[in-house]
Amino acid sequence: MRGADDTRVIYEVDLDLEAAIAADYVSWLQAHVREILALPGFIDARVSRVEEPAAEPDRAWLCVHYVLRDAAALEAYLRDHAPRLRAEGQARFGGRFQARRRILRVLSEHGATPRD
């Protein structure tokens, strides 16, 4: 049984970007996510386009959910890797996007039962 300090964590990154860079950004983001998933403690990632609420007409809105083994893995990422990886995105896209981050602690996990 997992203890309170070793429950999975979701690291959410909301990305608000100029629509003009969306295709290039998504292409770069795919490689960026693969690089992060290679780090210790990362289990899974999901990149989504936000449908609702809708982005402004000249904007695109993405959301990335990274699933980590536990809070210690996230702390190690934030300390040892995040500054470099964030700087890479800023160097490539400058002020043409904004990122907001949240940390979610998983309380329980449920799987859907497939229906025929």
Side-chain angles (χ1 to χ4, degrees):
M1 184 168 167
R2 299 171 71 89
D5 292 337
D6 65 351
T7 57
R8 289 188 182 182
V9 172
I10 297 173
Y11 181 51
E12 178 183 87
V13 182
D14 284 322
L15 299 158
D16 177 3
L17 48 131
E18 294 177 10
I21 67 165
D24 190 32
Y25 192 93
V26 168
S27 179
W28 170 83
L29 184 60
Q30 301 305 322
H32 178 76
V33 168
R34 284 191 300 273
E35 183 177 358
I36 290 175
L37 282 175
L39 298 172
F42 281 82
I43 296 169
D44 192 21
R46 185 166 287 125
V47 177
S48 303
R49 182 181 61 240
V50 176
E51 297 278 325
E52 187 66 35
E56 296 295 319
D58 60 340
R59 308 295 295 176
W61 196 2
L62 305 172
C63 182
V64 184
H65 279 170
Y66 296 99
V67 179
L68 291 97
R69 175 187 63 231
D70 54 28
L74 179 59
E75 290 170 17
Y77 164 75
L78 293 172
R79 180 187 63 241
D80 301 333
H81 302 284
R84 171 184 57 83
L85 291 167
R86 290 176 185 177
E88 289 174 5
Q90 285 297 325
R92 181 161 182 159
F93 297 101
R96 301 183 75 185
F97 77 99
Q98 295 178 336
R100 289 176 297 283
R101 298 163 180 90
R102 294 191 320 167
I103 298 169
L104 310 170
R105 175 141 348 227
V106 176
L107 296 178
S108 62
E109 296 181 83
H110 308 271
T113 304
R115 297 180 192 199
D116 292 328

